[in-house]
Amino acid sequence: MSNYEPGCRKFVLLTGATGLVGGLVLANLLQNEQPVAVLVRGNRRRTALERAEILMRRLEERFGRLFSRPVVLSGDLNSPELGLAPSDRDWVAANCNSIIHSGANLLFRPAKDHPDNEPFRTNVTGTKCLHELAKAAGIREWHYVSTAYIAGLRSGRIYERDCEVGQQFGNDYERSKVQAEQFLRQSPYIDQLTVYRPSIVIDLHPTTSMRSDQTINSAFVMFQALSQRFGLPKRGDWFRRLGFDGSEKKNIVTVDWVSSMISQIYRRPALHGQTYHLTSPNGTSASDLEDSFSAAVQMSGIKLPATRSEALPQIDEQAAPFVAAFQPYFKDDPVFDRENLLRAVRECGESDVPTLTVEALRDFCMRQTKPVLPPSAIEESVSDWGLFVSNRHLIASNEMLSANNQIATGNFVPDASVFGLETFGPGGGQWLISEKGSRVLVRQAAVSEARIRWICRAVTLNEIIAGGLTVSRAIEAGLLFIESETVMDAEGTSVATDGFCRLVAAVRLMNSVSAVRNSEVANVR
């Protein structure tokens, strides 16, 4: 059992933030000032922090605004204790009170053909690893992003309360998601489980650099490749090869709507503990899909050969691998009951899922085939503030450890000596700064714990620290905002402004070579 109580823990731990749904859930949460910690895995090219920063810049471009940065936890969903450092596990226990589990492997091909047994490794084993960490940290509120296709090969009406009912499955992805969902439903360590089941999720936004649902993408790529070689198929020809007659429906929804509904439901405890089919009431017909594929190919400007009927055997031969992998998924979808969802839509004041037009799907297909531009490089230089908060090797003072313990156990009472700092843009985030005599103690935590909050862009903070801008000038220019109750010291000086000046002085001291060795400034997560 954890020694931590949920008292004042504010953060949600989000997995899958670098994925299609998880990334926009992150943006929606940050827009609503919800403190977020993200689990991100580094790779051979980039660290977890670099990958998270690339994601944040893409989100800022998409939304046309700056965001405060989430806390980035470098780890792996498939590792024991998520591969987190002990200090990061302690931070999660002290600061996180809920989980949104959006991380998943989307492979449809049989797990027996994958060296790591995917998708079961990530979707089932990874969920169990996350569950063990949550259990140790005392996190008992879960939000799980499943899929409407745990219905498998069932037909008719599928209710939101249905889960494992003996259904057959079209692929191991569906099977793995049922197993993970059932595991969470049966856990005695979860007080409240909210399940979100989107159907086929696509991204219609023109700036997207991430491919959407692989079924639609793969079908269009195959359609385009065969058209380039054998000519544009006659209407109905391609989908007949997949077993359609054109009237069948596929349930397609937009990622903007799905992510908005997840974040809106998350923010309303009265809606927790239910299962929600994030699905379309009507679906998209196979004939509309084919029309959009055909229009995208014709508008792409690619020169197409004349259609040759004698090439049909060759078409079938080349399409066979795709058909074998995806034909079970390309069937007429069942009707997904949406009783819980419609109630949530009303209570959240949200609109229902938008209807997809052939034109919108055409434009979506055209964007998916364009080469994805490489992400903008992360600046090599580290800012003054970045140096300060990255010095994790420093030993915290006894006062800091005591303050952290008070926060973790819910016994912390904020006063005028505790300041909140929230910065936006690259290098941004949320911190609590405590003053203990001559010491300035920094902790990554929700700024709502403080009576006084400084708010600015990260670049503004760095300019102040570097000496290119004064605190008073930043306030006068509207670059630095202070939210606080009226707190003055005995001489009538604003404690908020004075405290910020002392923080700046401490950071400058900390970043000098001698200060790294001798400073009493402590920086702990």
Side-chain angles (χ1 to χ4, degrees), residues 6-25:
C8 60
R9 299 192 290 184
K10 303 291 184 183
F11 282 75
V12 55
L13 174 59
L14 172 66
T15 70
T18 55
L20 179 65
V21 173
L24 291 198
V25 168

Side-chain angles (χ1 to χ4, degrees), residues 75-94:
D76 184 349
L77 190 62
N78 298 315
S79 299
E81 298 180 318
L82 306 186
L84 295 177
S87 59
D88 285 344
R89 295 199 300 272
D90 289 343
W91 185 90
V92 169

Side-chain angles (χ1 to χ4, degrees), residues 226 229-231 237 241 305-319:
L226 294 177
R229 181 164 184 183
F230 302 108
D237 238 15
R241 284 177 166 72
T307 305
R308 297 180 291 116
S309 58
E310 65 271 19
L312 292 180
Q314 291 177 273
I315 294 176
D316 287 338
E317 180 182 354
Q318 293 200 18

